[in-house]
Every structure is written in structure tokens, then in C-alpha cells.
Amino acid sequence: MSVIIDGKSLAKEIRENMKQEAEKLKEQGIVPHLAVIMVGNNDASKVYVRNKSKACDEIGIEFKEYLLPENTKQNELLDLIKKLNKDKSVNGILLQSPIPKPLDIQEAFNTISKEKDVDGFNPYNVGNLCIGQDGFIPCTPLGIMKMFEKYNIEIDGKKVAIIGRSNIVGKPMAQCMLSKNATVTICHSRTKELKKEVKDADIIIAAAGKRNIVTEDMVKDGAVIIDVGMNRNEEGKLCGDVEFEKLINKASYITPVPGGVGPMTIAMLTANVIKAAKLQNNI
Ligand code: NAD
């Protein structure tokens, strides 16, 4: 029977620590402040932003939402980011993805000041992660690394297969694993033999957004399975990328969906905002 990694309670523990950090900052007259920009009307984004707002409220992070209409122009979006960059009361800036098609999201990420880039998507922070220097690490991989730390799961020398190569999850995840001396294979939609690439892995991180892409026969006994995917089954219930029920007796550790990676992502966002507030105040 696998150990089920309890992301929900670990996230709660991190939020409690962040609440104490926020209180210490308040004693020094500093109120950590996150600005979140949403463009258009994406229902899933609204849910994510609401959850982020709830976590910030609980901790004592000021949370301000900027809702831009669907037909926003690139220069209008960049102007808002530049305004928030200059605003000394704002410590973190987050641009919720996706944004409407004609807009260039990478240019927007590039415009977020590197000191306020709490999602870690600015090339400066991406570069720092690649060369092993301190910076902002994207919240999902950062949360997954916390899970490994909490459960004392060894990474050094292990074979890791990551399914997905997005800038948000797959690529930064690979860098995090590499920084802990894993041997990393990144699989993606053009990978020819997914099963062959994954079968040998000690650690599997599934982030394809494809329900049941990781099947029982792809996993070796005792592998660690981290399920990042967020999909809906026929009944509309949230589920991951992994055949959870079948793998629960095969994996050594496994994350559930919901209650695994999701809550950790939000907790690490609050940790990055606190980190930004401290750095900007030389603490
Ligand atoms: P994305 O669509 O940007 O990337 C998906 C990746 O999966 C791509 O690199 C693609 O090449 C790869 N892929 C697709 N089909 C594949 C296949 N058949 N075989 C191998 N690789 C395949 O998505 P993303 O933003 O990286 O998110 C991935 C999933 O993780 C989604 O379900 C998303 O909702 C979820 N997610 C969860 C959290 C969380 O906090 N739990 C955070 C971010 C993303």
C-alpha cells in the first residue's frame, strides 16, 4: 500500500507558517501585497483566483484583483504591469493564464519586474533556476519539492520521468529535479514510446492534463508518483493524470487529486509573496 502524500495538510502547515511571517512583517509596518491580473472571462481562472484570494486573506496578504476585458490590447496589459511594477505597496504581481489569444503572454511575463515575479515566469528567474541561483521558482514545482522534503523522499541519483514540458510545470520541474541530482527524462506529446520512457523511472511526475495517461503497466513497483493533472471525469469529478486506484498498491508514494499538488501550489504562492515582501524591504 502506498503512502498517500497529504498535500492538503502540508499546505495548511505552510500557510500557518506564512501567517506568522506576515504577522512579523506587520509588526514592522509592512503589509505583504499581491496584485493579480485576469484578462477576459475564463471560468476555471476565476475559481483559481478565488482560491488564491482566500489563501491570501487567511494569511494577511493584501490581495487586489485587476479584471481586464476580453478585448484588452497588449499595450494596455503591459501598461498595467508597468504601473504595478512602480507601485511600492505591491510586492508580487501575478498574471493569471490563459489570456485571450491575440495577446502575447510571454511578453507580459517578461514585463513583470523580476523582484515581483512571484510565479517565476520572467526569464530572469527562469535563468536563475537553470543555473542554481536563488530566485522565484514557479509555485507548482516548488510545492512538489516541498512534498519530497516533508516525506523525506530521496531524489539524489534517482531516475525521474516528467510527462509534460510546459513552462509552468514540466520544464521548471525538470530543473528542480536536476538541481537535486536526479537523472531526468522529459516526455511530451511527441515522445514516441511513453511507456518505455516511464517504466524505468523511480519517480514519475505526470503533468500532461490527460486523464489516465499513466496506467498501471507503465509504473515499476515502488515508484513515487506525483500527479499534477487536473481533469474532469464523466461525472464531472476532479481527477488527475494517473490511474490512482490501480496504482495505490504499486507505488511507494502517491499524490491524490484533489488534495495533492493543487493546495501546495497555492500555499507556495503565498510563500513567494512573503519572500518578495522581505526581499523588497531588505529583510
Ligand atoms: P500544458 O497543456 O501547457 O502542457 C501539457 C504538456 O503535456 C505538454 O508539454 C504536452 O506536450 C504534454 N502532453 C500532452 N499530451 C501528451 C501525451 N499524450 N504524452 C506525453 N505528453 C503529453 O499544461 P500545463 O499547464 O503544464 O498543465 C498540465 C496539467 O497540470 C493540466 O491538467 C493542468 O490543469 C494541471 N496543473 C495543475 C496545477 C496544480 O496546482 N495542481 C498547476 C498547473 C497545472
Side-chain angles (χ1 to χ4, degrees):
M1 187 81 175
S2 319
V3 171
I4 298 176
I5 297 180
D6 188 350
K8 202 172 163 189
S9 65
L10 178 55
K12 187 163 179 261
E13 194 180 309
I14 292 167
R15 291 199 307 273
E16 274 158 12
N17 288 340
M18 291 309 127
K19 193 172 178 183
Q20 286 172 16
E21 294 288 325
E23 274 159 14
K24 279 191 232 154
L25 287 173
K26 269 177 210 155
E27 282 163 16
Q28 300 175 64
I30 301 157
V31 180
H33 178 169
L34 173 65
V36 171
I37 305 169
M38 252 206 305
V39 190
N41 261 316
N42 183 302
D43 285 336
S45 292
K46 283 184 198 160
V47 176
Y48 298 144
V49 169
R50 202 182 315 132
N51 290 338
K52 289 169 187 176
S53 157
K54 244 172 76 187
C56 286
D57 284 351
E58 177 193 326
I59 288 164
I61 294 173
E62 190 177 337
F63 184 95
K64 264 202 199 138
E65 236 177 281
Y66 295 82
L67 301 175
L68 300 181
E70 189 81 26
N71 60 357
T72 297
K73 304 244 174 351
Q74 183 75 8
N75 66 318
E76 291 167 336
L77 173 61
L78 299 186
D79 285 348
L80 172 60
I81 294 172
K82 287 175 194 161
K83 193 180 116 204
L84 295 168
N85 281 342
K86 280 196 202 132
D87 184 339
K88 285 207 162 54
S89 75
V90 174
N91 303 114
I93 302 170
L94 183 153
L95 172 61
Q96 183 66 45
S97 69
I99 61 175
K101 265 262 146 49
L103 297 173
D104 178 349
I105 198 162
Q106 192 55 52
E107 189 187 18
F109 288 147
N110 299 356
T111 306
I112 295 176
S113 111
K114 62 187 197 304
E115 291 84 10
K116 298 189 180 186
D117 175 34
V118 287
D119 254 344
F121 298 154
N122 178 303
Y124 180 87
N125 285 310
V126 175
N128 272 344
L129 176 60
C130 291
I131 59 173
Q133 283 195 174
D134 191 35
F136 290 104
I137 296 176
C139 303
T140 301
L142 188 58
I144 292 170
M145 296 312 280
K146 281 276 169 209
M147 287 173 156
F148 278 86
E149 209 180 294
K150 175 75 181 179
Y151 283 79
N152 282 318
I153 302 170
E154 208 180 326
I155 300 174
D156 203 308
K158 300 292 182 192
K159 285 186 183 165
V160 179
I162 297 172
I163 309 173
R165 59 170 163 185
S166 71
N167 293 340
I168 293 174
V169 187
K171 284 184 202 155
M173 191 70 247
Q175 290 298 339
C176 289
M177 285 287 152
L178 204 51
S179 74
K180 296 288 178 196
N181 305 316
T183 301
V184 182
T185 301
I186 305 177
C187 309
H188 46 78
S189 52
R190 302 283 186 92
T191 297
K192 290 220 163 71
E193 293 178 84
L194 186 64
K195 181 175 169 183
K196 197 170 147 215
E197 303 296 344
V198 173
K199 183 80 190 161
D200 220 18
D202 304 301
I203 298 169
I204 299 164
I205 301 175
K210 296 266 154 68
R211 192 179 155 213
N212 292 342
I213 196 172
V214 178
T215 51
E216 192 188 358
D217 59 331
M218 287 166 76
V219 177
K220 81 170 180 191
D221 279 332
V224 176
I225 304 177
I226 305 293
D227 193 350
V228 185
M230 287 204 295
N231 314 296
R232 297 270 167 197
N233 67 13
E234 296 85 4
E235 294 113 52
K237 250 183 77 189
L238 195 62
C239 59
D241 283 2
V242 166
E243 282 188 328
F244 182 82
E245 294 304 334
K246 292 188 183 158
L247 283 161
I248 204 160
N249 289 316
K250 203 169 188 189
S252 54
Y253 293 86
I254 190 164
T255 62
V257 177
V261 174
M264 289 300 292
T265 298
I266 294 181
M268 298 325 293
L269 170 65
T270 67
N272 275 349
V273 176
I274 298 284
K275 175 174 169 166
K278 283 183 172 173
L279 285 171
Q280 286 156 38
N281 288 284
N282 301 314
I283 298 172

